[in-house]
Amino acid sequence: MLPFLAILVSWALIASLCAGDPKRRRALRTTGGQTPATRRLIAAAACLPGLLCLAAGDPAAFLIWLGGSGLAGWATALWFNRAAAPR
Amino acid sequence: MIHLSKEKTKLMVAVHGWSGILLGLLLYAVVLTGTAAVFAEEVGIWSAGHVRTTSAFARPLDSAIRDLAAHTPERFHEGVNLFEMGDHDLGVYFHRDEMAGGRPITRGVYYRIDAEGRLASAQRGTDEEIFGPSNDDALKTFLVDTHVRLHLPNPWGLLLTGILGLAMLVAAISGLLIHRHLLKDIFTLRRSANPVLVDRDRHSVAGTWSLPFAFVLAFTGSFFSFYGTVGVPIVAMAAFGGDVGALNETVYGNPGKADPRPAPVGNLDRIMADATRRAGGVPTFVGIEKFGRADAEITSYHQPAAGDLEPATLLYRGATGQFERVKPAIGTRASAGGSLVGIMAPMHFGNFAGLLSKAVWFALGFAMCYVSLTGFRLWLVRRRGEARSLDWLDRTVTTVAVGLPVALIASAVAFIIAMPEGTAVFWTPAAFVIASAAVIAGAALMRSPAAFERALWLAMAIGMLILPPLRLALGGPGWAAAIDAGQPIIPALDLAFLAAGGWLTWRTKPRRAVTSEPLATLMPAE
């Protein structure tokens, strides 16, 4: 349950990072996006669930979180750009 | 990120590209089969229709081992290995260590006891003669052997896969160094830019997100390949005068005073129950040294406990059955090095937290395949329009990238058909070779790259779609029976094959606006 929750929380924050990513938005010719300070804050928050797994003395959950978050990030990048791809 | 000078960046790009191009297709084969091998146990259960769920170590085994010992020549009582075979049968191998041509081997008698406690088979010989693939695990063994040593003889196969692991490390490190905006580009996937940028984005985004695991999998994979082939002989030569047996005894043995007096072994059922309680799960392997002697020792090996990464190893006194200590992976006392060695296997196989960790590792393996292939595409797209045509390499990439999974599916189909006839050991690899030859012939004969690629995807889709009904038609357990027996993995894999086959069929159906460009090779990940 712990790794599931950790991945879900991180995934939500990664999705927020992706949605507000200035470079991605520029590539789609849209303006706006998060400021660097906001992005650093969200990125740090996205790492917190993994650190909590370690602090809880559960290295297995940490590794699952690390792998799961990587996959979640990749899937998010694919999804956001798929939705925006020209038809 | 890390800033290199222009010349160094150019050099790193060349190292990254050429290490990938020269070894990339072999690396892809190793990674793809490794990805499938993450679920090797489950594939074994599904393909052979194994429905038992009670471990051989959870059943009484003490009296059976004593009976077998009474019928086995005493010279083979030097060591007794206990392990599971097939559908939770118990394998018992009475043996002694020998040297053959300068190599350490074991020779002895191997017994297989079925779930009802009956002797199913007995075989005498060396470990190499006895422990080949068997009819009901031929598919699983084929998958694992392809991943571990590409079916090359020892030690060459292991050396090659070790070199491939190092190439993956080189590619990961050079990729990290040449990508100046690693974090800035982590969500950027341009779809309507020029083909070089599109392929570059695909490669770098997938590569960045999976970078930590590229290091982990490449390092641990190389460790396993070089451990026995290079590491052990070198250390044995440097510190033990080339005596591998002495090295093993020092590193893994249990030092103590020899006591060759005869003494009956302690109650094995009681030891198994105690080990299960202490480690939080049944053993996966048990070794008894000096069986029937006063200085006998019993070691039980277990999967990591919940929340842990390091597998548990427990040591018992053989004659009394008394628990002695938790044994580190190397040496006699816990150490950082021992723990590191201990976590290598779980980190590589992803089997430390059941199906969840395996599913994550499987997906990460898939990401590695995607990174390898997008790297190839990028390399080719960058060179499109150069004087020398690289169409042959483009087609080779398609042949391996899509043809390899087609051949693996063909070997699974052959296994399902041949296993009831008892000929799966032959037909599983034979079908792989036949399918590979057919794919290569198709690559040579079909003129249109798009048609060739579509044919391969369709072949894969059809193969996946026919696997579940074929398994059921040839006597495999039905979904209700499997779920009743506590093996939901059987219907789960059936459904996975049907879903993947259905999706591939839908994805490859001809579209109205078909261009002359081949299909995007990497569509499963998209």
Side-chain angles (χ1 to χ4, degrees), chain B residues 129-210:
Chain B
E129 291 159 356
I130 294 171
F131 298 112
S134 61
N135 186 53
D136 62 349
D137 72 0
L139 181 61
K140 179 180 127 185
T141 311
F142 177 75
L143 257 182
V144 174
D145 274 359
T146 312
H147 173 63
V148 171
R149 54 191 178 94
L150 291 166
H151 294 283
L152 293 175
N154 279 331
W156 305 112
L158 284 169
L159 287 174
L160 178 59
T161 51
I163 290 167
L164 292 172
L166 289 184
M168 189 166 156
L169 265 182
V170 167
I173 293 167
S174 52
L176 179 66
L177 291 175
I178 59 180
H179 203 129
R180 286 181 182 218
H181 306 292
L182 198 74
L183 296 177
K184 274 187 184 166
D185 290 349
I186 205 164
F187 294 114
T188 307
L189 280 165
R190 284 160 288 200
R191 298 276 178 151
S192 49
N194 74 59
V196 174
L197 280 179
V198 170
D199 281 326
R200 179 192 160 281
D201 287 350
R202 283 175 167 175
H203 180 65
S204 67
V205 167
T208 306
W209 282 109
S210 55

Side-chain angles (χ1 to χ4, degrees), chain B residues 450-469:
Chain B
F452 172 60
E453 191 166 329
R454 180 165 288 122
L456 286 181
W457 284 115
L458 265 178
M460 198 192 310
I462 292 166
M464 285 181 165
L465 287 173
I466 64 170
L467 273 171

Side-chain angles (χ1 to χ4, degrees), chain A:
Chain A
M1 200 59 188
L2 179 63
F4 264 124
L5 277 176
I7 292 170
L8 274 179
V9 172
S10 292
W11 195 346
L13 292 163
I14 288 168
S16 145
L17 276 174
C18 184
D21 182 40
K23 184 155 186 187
R24 187 187 69 82
R25 294 174 77 92
R26 271 201 306 277
L28 294 171
R29 293 186 180 84
T30 50
T31 52
Q34 294 146 343
T35 61
T38 311
R39 294 184 63 70
R40 272 188 219 117
L41 203 67
I42 299 173
C47 295
L48 269 181
L51 296 177
L52 286 176
C53 291
L54 275 184
D58 196 337
F62 171 76
L63 267 186
I64 294 171
W65 167 82
L66 190 62
S69 299
L71 292 167
W74 183 36
T76 307
L78 285 171
W79 177 259
F80 269 75
N81 291 285
R82 179 178 176 268
R87 292 178 193 278

